[in-house]
């Protein structure tokens, strides 16, 4: 039976890899992104190569706004069902708390957390009617352990864990699973922007002594989005080479 998913942050990095891995499983995906349409089109091509029968529509929308989340949910209505939601869009605005502006705080919370809450709310309304669905929210090891210079980001990612566990308790009896994946240090544009000193320190703290790949994270998401994970809910799966132990 055909399956349908919404993936935010699908234009690059982890979201790109998640979309392609879901496509490999025969899932059509609404590819949501913020700005770079060329990159989003590359994701679409990779998804079509994996699942030629899919349509993989693009949806440019800012998940940091109510209007953007509304646009994503409206675009998803074109799918006959909504089987999987992956909240992967995320940003950082790093700096010690004393130097963070209110805008740095608000924006990181709205993109990383409030958007995920609004999209979860829209998705579960549909999934409750279907009596099935899988939601995967992308958190971070930083949300579990904290990190100096990332108070805003860590708070948002810890909020993702609270969202995930609370919603899992609300909708479990409706046949819907809600889980989080907490990546460690993954090689994407986000980590490429880190200062070398911070990258070296992070690498030294990883038992597996390497960065993860977007595909490492995508495989965990693919599992949690599959019916093979149908009795797993409210969990936080760390994909971090042991960094967060
Ligand atoms: P990335 O910067 O490569 O990609 C971010 C994606 O989010 C892009 O597709 C972008 O279009 C989208 N996005 C950004 N702001 C948006 C907005 N306002 N509205 C809609 N979409 C928006 O990042 P990534 O490394 O692939 O990260 C993906 C997720 O994984 C994020 O939630 C991030 O916090 C999380 N994460 C990443 C790492 C890592 O090491 N890379 C570690 C832990 C958690």
């Amino acid at each position: 039976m055909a399956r349908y998913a919404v993936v935010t942050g699908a234009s690059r990095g982890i979201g790109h890899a998640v979309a392609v891995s879901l496509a490999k499983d025969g899932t059509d995906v609404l590819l949501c992104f913020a700005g770079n349409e060329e990159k989003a089109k590359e994701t679409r091509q990779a998804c079509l190569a994996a699942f030629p029968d899919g349509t993989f529509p693009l949806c440019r929308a800012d998940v940091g706004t109510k209007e953007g989340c509304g646009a994503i949910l409206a675009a998803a209505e074109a799918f006959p069902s909504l089987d999987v939601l992956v909240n992967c869009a995320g940003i950082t605005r790093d700096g010690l708390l004393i130097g963070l502006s209110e805008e740095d705080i608000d924006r990181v919370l709205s993109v990383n957390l409030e958007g995920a809450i609004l999209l979860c709310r829209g998705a579960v309304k549909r999934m409750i009617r279907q009596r099935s669905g899988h939601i995967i929210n992308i958190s971070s090891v930083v949300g579990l352990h904290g990190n100096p210079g990332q108070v805003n980001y860590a708070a948002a990612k810890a909020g993702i864990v609270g969202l995930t566990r609370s919603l899992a308790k609300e909708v479990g009896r409706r046949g819907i699973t809600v889980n989080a994946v907490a990546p460690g240090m993954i090689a994407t544009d986000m980590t490429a922007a880190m200062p070398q000193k911070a990258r070296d320190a992070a690498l030294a703290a990883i038992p597996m002594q390497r960065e993860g790949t977007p595909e490492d994270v995508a495989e965990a998401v693919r599992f949690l989005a599959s019916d093979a994970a149908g009795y797993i809910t409210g969990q936080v799966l760390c994909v971090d080479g042991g960094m967060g132990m």
Side-chain angles (χ1 to χ4, degrees):
M1 209 172 75
R3 293 196 335 151
Y4 300 89
V6 169
V7 177
T8 68
S11 58
R12 63 185 205 208
I14 294 170
H16 167 98
V18 165
V20 174
S21 78
L22 292 176
K24 282 182 188 157
D25 273 354
T27 302
D28 203 352
V29 184
L30 180 68
L31 303 168
C32 307
F33 66 103
N36 192 333
E37 185 153 358
E38 283 314 305
K39 294 293 285 178
K41 283 181 180 164
E42 285 174 26
T43 303
R44 181 164 193 271
Q45 285 310 319
C47 287
L48 280 167
F51 178 36
D53 288 344
T55 59
F56 304 102
L58 302 183
C59 181
R60 182 183 196 147
D62 180 356
V63 300
T65 67
K66 293 171 184 62
E67 296 73 24
C69 293
I72 290 170
L73 293 167
E77 286 294 330
F79 283 157
S81 62
L82 179 55
D83 305 294
V84 178
L85 167 66
V86 184
N87 278 309
C88 189
I91 57 164
T92 52
R93 296 256 185 107
D94 296 348
L96 295 177
L97 180 59
I98 49 171
L100 289 184
S101 68
E102 285 173 13
E103 221 277 314
D104 291 334
I105 297 167
D106 287 349
R107 187 70 180 145
V108 166
L109 285 169
S110 59
V111 172
N112 292 283
L113 180 59
E114 195 177 344
I117 296 175
L118 293 176
L119 291 175
C120 281
R121 184 179 67 176
V124 292
K125 281 181 185 165
R126 265 184 100 173
M127 290 174 174
I128 284 170
R129 287 200 298 275
Q130 294 167 190
R131 299 197 69 79
S132 66
H134 302 293
I135 295 176
I136 298 97
N137 296 316
I138 305 299
S139 177
S140 168
V141 286
V142 165
L144 303 176
H145 299 281
N147 198 28
Q150 291 198 302
V151 163
N152 49 357
Y153 181 75
K157 293 302 188 182
I160 286 285
V161 174
L163 155 67
T164 299
R165 291 191 172 140
S166 302
L167 188 58
K169 288 184 175 181
E170 287 188 13
V171 298
R173 69 199 164 95
R174 314 281 195 161
I176 302 163
T177 68
V178 190
N179 291 290
V181 168
M185 172 115 165
I186 310 298
T188 67
D189 291 351
M190 187 177 268
T191 45
M194 283 168 70
Q196 191 59 42
K197 222 175 130 188
R199 290 169 67 87
D200 290 347
L203 269 176
I206 301 172
M208 294 192 76
Q209 292 288 290
R210 68 164 178 92
E211 288 178 318
T213 64
E215 289 70 26
D216 287 329
V217 181
E219 285 305 306
V221 173
R222 171 155 76 149
F223 169 63
L224 291 171
S226 75
D227 290 339
Y231 197 55
I232 299 173
T233 197
Q235 300 305 304
V236 182
L237 178 53
C238 294
V239 181
D240 63 356
M243 185 184 192
M245 278 191 288

